Structure formats: structure tokens, C-alpha cells
């Protein structure tokens, strides 16, 4: 089956994104497919390449990156949620004349249409929030 | 049928709303702080669900992390995340309470 | 000639309260567009809609409300594209002094 | 920063892919948070409006979520977005089906006359049937 996973919680604020990551790994491990991980609301903070947790804590940002890289799983950040929370890729940083971009390049900035497409196209949609 | 997830402790109104809405054939997965709803002394509503033959599961990692392994209500089934995924495939949709 | 407006690189007003009809004329001129009566009725409709509902309508909804309020012959995307080009909601937002749309639709 | 093989293949943005070739799944959006205390309601409404461009959508207000529809919200002193009035535009987006429960209204001393739009008031049995009748539930 194909899963869309919606992540609404920010890392290190609630457990939502840690749960979502465990769930995503289990989807892959059980032979199912991740159609898309959609980061919405505070979930967009998971894409922040500047996150620097202590070395003896799980690096959730890198954990998502590993999942995206090793399993080709699509990590999509909602553009409207991301912009208002200061999560920008190079293109948006230029567009809004901001001094830097902090969104990891493994994350794709896209519109809310990708949430709806994910919900419609996947066999199952599971939401993690706080 | 629907897989309900609950990630709040019994302090929170989410438990009551979930229990009012859940129907026969649905399943409940307790995760994060939701696992307290299935622990000794806090399990009244979950006990009622079990009595109605509604299956209640709890994420083992959350149970272990909170020191609840010896305090969970009999009848609540501990699952890992793979089990969670399996339950999702068996239910038509999922609903988050929190 | 032309007034000096405080716009960003994409030609959107930085401060929405700077909007005036004269500003709209200049914003349109920046896009090589000369506003006619048919443009103005859409501009004012969209501003009213924004002030009433606190949202900028996407093209699909713009077509509907133009149809509802200005008549079915105008409530067609072809009419709005003739007036405001290929992405009517975006250009209308710019000229009518509505918030810059996110690259969402 | 890790190398990125995927970005060049980023999907096109927003609604460019038409809904026609998709399975016609229906979406139930659930609003469960009071307005202003969190951004869930506002961002949930954005999702509802986007959803309406794709498929049949309905909105269920549960618990404190019904407060999002309370009339006379004035956010000018707060300097926050008053999106309660935006719900009145949902019909223009083709979203006509709004639901709440009698119990949630009663517990809060509300009637539909207190709301900016008029949702369909249902009981808890109908609530179960409603949730089961949609293909996907999106919670906010």
C-alpha cells in the first residue's frame, strides 16, 4: 500500500515528528511505500538544516534526510506554512529578498495541493500532530 | 472502519471525544501521552471500550519510555510501529484525536 | 512620468495600505497594462471580496464571483485571461493591492 | 548539506495536475481547535479551500473547533487574522457541507444562530456514520 504521512508537529517541541518518523520507517520496513511525507503547520521546522541537537539525542532533521535519500521518499514542505515560519529554500529566499535559506535541499517546497494530492492518491493517509 | 489514534493523556478532553465517536469494528491506537489512557488507575474509559469488544492497542516504545510496561491494562495490546502500519492497512481510514 | 511606488522585485506593493486607484494604474502600467472599465470592475470586486472575507480568491473562485456579480458572460476564465493574462488571480492581486500570493496556485 | 538528487524532479506546484485522472476520493476535514490559540484552524481552513479544487470536501467541527465559527470575532486589538469571516466564502469554493454536533453546541451554550455560517447539526450516531462515509479524514 501507498501511504501519505502528514506531520504537523515541530521537532523538539512535541513528539509528533518523532512518532511520524518511526511510522515512516516502519512503512518502508514492512514493504509498503511512502507516497509522500507532507510537513504542515509546525511540522515544516523538520526541514530546518540549521537544527543542531546535542550529539547524544536523535537528530530528527538528519533522520528525515536519511529516509528521503535512502528510500527516495518525497519530503514536501507546505510553502505557506514554511514562509510564515521562516523556512525558506534558495528560490523563496530570493523571491522575498531574505538574507539566507535554511531549508535542506532534500525537502521540496510546494503548495497545499500536494497535501490534497497525497490524501487522494495514496491508499492511506495518517496524520501526526500535537 | 476507522483507525483512531489518541496521543493525549486522560487529562485531556480528546479521550472522551474519541470514546464517544468510536464504533464497533473501529480500533484505537494509543501513542505518545495517549498510552497513559491504558494504564492502571487511568483506564476507566479504555476499559469500557474493551468491554464493548473494541480493540485497543498501545505503541510499545511509548509505554516503555514512560515506565508503564508493568502498569498497562490487561486487554490493551502492545504493538511496535510495524504493527501500527499493519493496522492502518486493515482499516479504511484513520482519525487523529489530540 | 508615473508615480514612485514602494514595490518588491516582483512588482508587488510592500505595504498594502499604499494602495490607491492611482497606484493601481501605475502597478498596471508596470505590467504594460492600461486599465479599462472592465479591469476596474474586477479590481473593485476583488478588493470588496478581500475586505469582506479576508481572503484573496484563486482564479477558480475569481471566475465564480465575477460571474455571480458581473454576469455570466464575464464570469469565464477566458474573459479574465483576456483582461489580466495567463494567471489572472496573481495579476489582479498585484494591481488590486491584495497580499502577494504564495507560489501555491 | 547532503547532495540532492530529487529537487530537480520536484512536482509541479499546486493544482496544475487536474483531478480528472485521480480516483474520486472524498475528504472530511476535522477542525478541533479553538481559533487564535493555535494556528491549526487557520491553516486547516487553507487546506479545506485547496481541497475544494480537487474533490468533494466537507468540514466537521468537533469540540472547541466550533468556536472558530463564533460570530463577532474582532481580532483588530490582537493583530491576528480574523479567518472566521472567511468561512462565509466557503460556498464560493464549492464547500457546502459543514457539520457540528448538538452536544458540542450545548456544552458551550451555543446555537447555530451564534455562528457566522450555519452548519448541519448532527448527533453522535450520525457523527460515526459521517466519518465512515468519507475516504480520508484530515485532522487539524
Amino acid at each position: 500500500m501507498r501511504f501519505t504521512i502528514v506531520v504537523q508537529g515541530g521537532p523538539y517541541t512535541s513528539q509528533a515528528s518523532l512518532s511520524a518518523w518511526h511510522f515512516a520507517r516502519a512503512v518502508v520496513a514492512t514493504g509498503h511505500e511512502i507516497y509522500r511525507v507532507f510537513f504542515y503547520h509546525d511540522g515544516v521546522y523538520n526541514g530546518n538544516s540549521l537544527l543542531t541537537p546535542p550529539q547524544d539525542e536523535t537528530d530528527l532533521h538528519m533522520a528525515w534526510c536519511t529516509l528521503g535519500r535512502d528510500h527516495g521518499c518525497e519530503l514536501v514542505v507546505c510553502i505557506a506554512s514554511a514562509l510564515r515560519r521562516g523556512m525558506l529554500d534558495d528560490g523563496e529566499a530570493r523571491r522575498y529578498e531574505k538574507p539566507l535559506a535554511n531549508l535542506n535541499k532534500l525537502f521540496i517546497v510546494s503548495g497545499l495541493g500536494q497535501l490534497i494530492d497525497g490524501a487522494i492518491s495514496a491508499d492511506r493517509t495518517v496524520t501526526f500532530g500535537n | 472502519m476507522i483507525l483512531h489514534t489518541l496521543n493525549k493523556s486522560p487529562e485531556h478532553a480528546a479521550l472522551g471525544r474519541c470514546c464517544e465517536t468510536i464504533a464497533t469494528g473501529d480500533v484505537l491506537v494509543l501513542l505518545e501521552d495517549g498510552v497513559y489512557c491504558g494504564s492502571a488507575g487511568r483506564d476507566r474509559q479504555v476499559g469500557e471500550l474493551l468491554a464493548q469488544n473494541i480493540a485497543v492497542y498501545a505503541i510499545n516504545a511509548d509505554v516503555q519510555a514512560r515506565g508503564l510496561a508493568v502498569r498497562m491494562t490487561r486487554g490493551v495490546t502492545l504493538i511496535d510501529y510495524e504493527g501500527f502500519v499493519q493496522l492502518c492497512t486493515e482499516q479504511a481510514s484513520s482519525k487523529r484525536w489530540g | 512620468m508615473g508615480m514612485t511606488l514602494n514595490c518588491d522585485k516582483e512588482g508587488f506593493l510592500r505595504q498594502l495600505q499604499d494602495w490607491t486607484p492611482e497606484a493601481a494604474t501605475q502597478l498596471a502600467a508596470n505590467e504594460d497594462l492600461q486599465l479599462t472599465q472592465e479591469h476596474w470592475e474586477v479590481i473593485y470586486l476583488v478588493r470588496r471580496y478581500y475586505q469582506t472575507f479576508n481572503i484573496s480568491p484563486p482564479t477558480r473562485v475569481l471566475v465564480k464571483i465575477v460571474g455571480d456579480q458581473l454576469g455570466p458572460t464575464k464570469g469565464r476564465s477566458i474573459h479574465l485571461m483576456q483582461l489580466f493574462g495567463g494567471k489572472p488571480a496573481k495579476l489582479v492581486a498585484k494591481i488590486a493591492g491584495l497580499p502577494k500570493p504564495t507560489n501555491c496556485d | 548539506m547532503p547532495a540532492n538528487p530529487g529537487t530537480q524532479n520536484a512536482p509541479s506546484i499546486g493544482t496544475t495536475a487536474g483531478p480528472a485522472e485521480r480516483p474520486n476520493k472524498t475528504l472530511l476535514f476535522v477542525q478541533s481547535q479553538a481559533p487564535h490559540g493555535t494556528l491549526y484552524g487557520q491553516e486547516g481552513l487553507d487546506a479545506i479551500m485547496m481541497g475544494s479544487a480537487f474533490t468533494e470536501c466537507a468540514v466537521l467541527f468537533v469540540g472547541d473547533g466550533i468556536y472558530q465559527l463564533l460570530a463577532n470575532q474582532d481580532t483588530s486589538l490582537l493583530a491576528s487574522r480574523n479567518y472566521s469571516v472567511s468561512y462565509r466564502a466557503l460556498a464560493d469554493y464549492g464547500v457546502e457541507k459543514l457539520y457540528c454536533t448538538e452536544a458540542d453546541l450545548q456544552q458551550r451554550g451555543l446555537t447555530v444562530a451564534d455562528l457566522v455560517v450555519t452548519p448541519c447539526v448532527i448527533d453522535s450516531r450520525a457523527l460515526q456514520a459521517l466519518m465512515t462515509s468519507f475516504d480520508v479524514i484530515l485532522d487539524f
Side-chain angles (χ1 to χ4, degrees):
Chain A
M1 277 193 175
R2 296 199 301 177
F3 283 78
T4 287
I5 299 170
V6 184
V7 185
Q8 296 174 330
Y12 311 110
T13 300
S14 75
Q15 200 192 321
S17 54
L18 182 60
S19 296
W21 173 72
H22 280 298
F23 184 84
R25 285 212 311 172
V27 167
V28 174
T30 50
H32 297 290
E33 187 189 327
I34 295 174
Y35 179 73
R36 177 170 300 143
V37 183
F38 190 85
F39 297 90
Y40 196 42
H41 202 65
D42 281 0
V44 299
Y45 290 126
N46 285 283
N48 190 346
S49 61
L50 303 180
L51 287 176
T52 313
Q55 283 175 297
D56 58 352
E57 290 182 17
T58 299
D59 187 333
L60 262 176
H61 172 72
M62 289 313 295
W64 285 116
C65 290
T66 303
L67 196 75
R69 203 173 33 233
D70 294 356
H71 300 287
C73 129
E74 193 178 294
L75 310 172
V76 176
V77 169
C78 169
I79 189 167
S81 291
L83 287 175
R84 65 161 66 89
R85 290 172 178 80
M87 294 297 310
L88 282 72
D89 67 2
D90 289 331
E92 295 302 317
R94 273 196 303 279
R95 183 165 186 247
Y96 288 92
E97 302 168 24
K98 298 295 182 188
L100 59 88
N102 54 350
L103 188 79
N104 190 295
K105 288 184 165 53
L106 282 163
F107 289 73
I108 299 162
V109 182
S110 194
L112 263 175
Q114 297 295 320
L115 168 64
I116 307 302
D117 168 75
I120 291 174
S121 301
D123 300 300
R124 295 290 183 275
T125 299
V126 185
T127 301
F128 295 86
N130 52 324
Chain B
M1 302 316 284
I2 300 174
L3 179 142
H4 300 256
T5 65
L6 174 65
N7 73 341
K8 293 292 186 299
S9 90
E11 295 269 292
H12 196 280
L15 170 63
R17 286 210 294 273
C18 171
C19 291
E20 284 164 20
T21 311
I22 199 163
T24 309
D26 288 357
V27 302
L28 173 61
V29 173
L30 305 172
L31 74 157
E32 303 171 7
D33 288 350
V35 298
Y36 291 113
C37 300
S39 69
R42 311 303 303 278
D43 57 354
R44 184 178 60 78
Q45 281 130 308
V46 159
E48 287 168 11
L49 295 182
L50 291 169
Q52 296 168 55
N53 286 319
I54 290 172
V56 181
Y57 301 86
I59 300 290
N60 187 41
D62 284 313
V63 170
Q64 298 285 343
R66 288 165 176 78
L68 297 177
V70 296
R71 307 182 64 81
M72 292 304 285
T73 307
R74 187 186 301 272
V76 174
T77 308
L78 300 188
I79 55 171
D80 56 15
Y81 293 98
E82 281 81 1
F84 187 3
V85 171
Q86 175 64 28
L87 289 172
C88 289
T89 66
E90 293 168 3
Q91 303 296 315
S93 62
S94 72
K95 163 85 189 84
R96 175 176 86 78
W97 298 97
Chain C
M1 60 159 271
M3 58 198 291
T4 309
L5 292 171
N6 183 10
C7 292
D8 70 11
K9 284 190 296 193
E10 293 182 55
F12 286 84
L13 286 176
R14 288 183 200 275
Q15 305 291 336
L16 298 183
Q17 60 270 29
D18 288 350
W19 190 89
T20 60
E22 295 72 33
T25 304
Q26 182 62 46
L27 289 162
N30 295 348
E31 306 286 334
D32 297 322
L33 193 66
Q34 184 150 19
L35 297 181
T36 66
Q37 190 51 41
E38 291 203 307
H39 292 97
W40 282 112
E41 61 186 13
V42 175
I43 291 167
Y44 279 111
L45 186 157
V46 164
R47 283 186 64 80
R48 251 193 338 269
Y49 197 83
Y50 177 71
Q51 284 155 6
T52 307
F53 299 118
N54 272 347
I55 39 174
S56 324
T59 298
R60 172 177 71 91
V61 176
L62 185 60
V63 168
K64 180 185 185 299
I65 60 178
V66 167
D68 287 351
Q69 297 187 35
L70 303 177
T73 55
K74 292 179 177 175
R76 294 182 304 138
S77 52
I78 186 75
H79 174 70
L80 290 166
M81 285 161 76
Q82 279 162 356
L83 290 176
F84 294 101
K87 291 182 175 174
K90 190 174 179 186
L91 193 54
V92 169
K94 185 183 285 186
I95 296 171
L98 268 49
K100 174 167 163 167
T102 54
N103 261 336
C104 211
D105 46 23
Chain D
M1 221 179 263
N4 173 24
T7 307
Q8 292 86 342
N9 304 324
S12 59
I13 285 163
T15 60
T16 45
E21 71 269 24
R22 290 192 174 83
N24 193 24
K25 286 197 183 180
T26 55
L27 307 182
L28 179 66
F29 292 84
V30 182
Q31 289 279 30
S32 59
Q33 305 273 323
H36 313 305
T38 74
L39 218 69
Y40 271 113
Q42 183 183 324
E43 295 195 320
L45 178 57
D46 288 343
I48 294 162
M49 289 177 167
M50 179 57 79
S52 68
F54 285 70
T55 186
E56 182 191 331
C57 297
V59 190
L60 168 65
F61 296 86
V62 297
D64 285 348
I66 195 64
Y67 283 133
Q68 291 182 33
L69 298 183
L70 193 57
N72 302 315
Q73 294 181 43
D74 181 350
T75 58
S76 53
L77 290 174
L78 188 60
S80 172
R81 173 183 290 269
N82 182 0
Y83 62 92
S84 64
V85 293
S86 306
Y87 277 107
R88 304 182 70 172
L90 269 191
D92 290 333
Y93 286 71
V95 181
E96 311 271 2
K97 295 176 182 167
L98 310 178
Y99 300 93
C100 69
T101 68
E102 181 65 42
D104 280 333
L105 286 175
Q106 272 181 5
Q107 280 169 15
R108 289 162 184 77
L110 299 174
T111 72
V112 289
D114 298 312
L115 309 178
V116 291
V117 290
T118 307
C120 181
V121 181
I122 60 177
D123 64 21
S124 67
R125 287 193 71 80
L127 183 61
Q128 292 173 355
L130 180 77
M131 295 199 332
T132 309
S133 68
F134 283 84
D135 293 313
V136 183
I137 302 170
L138 290 170
D139 294 290
F140 294 96

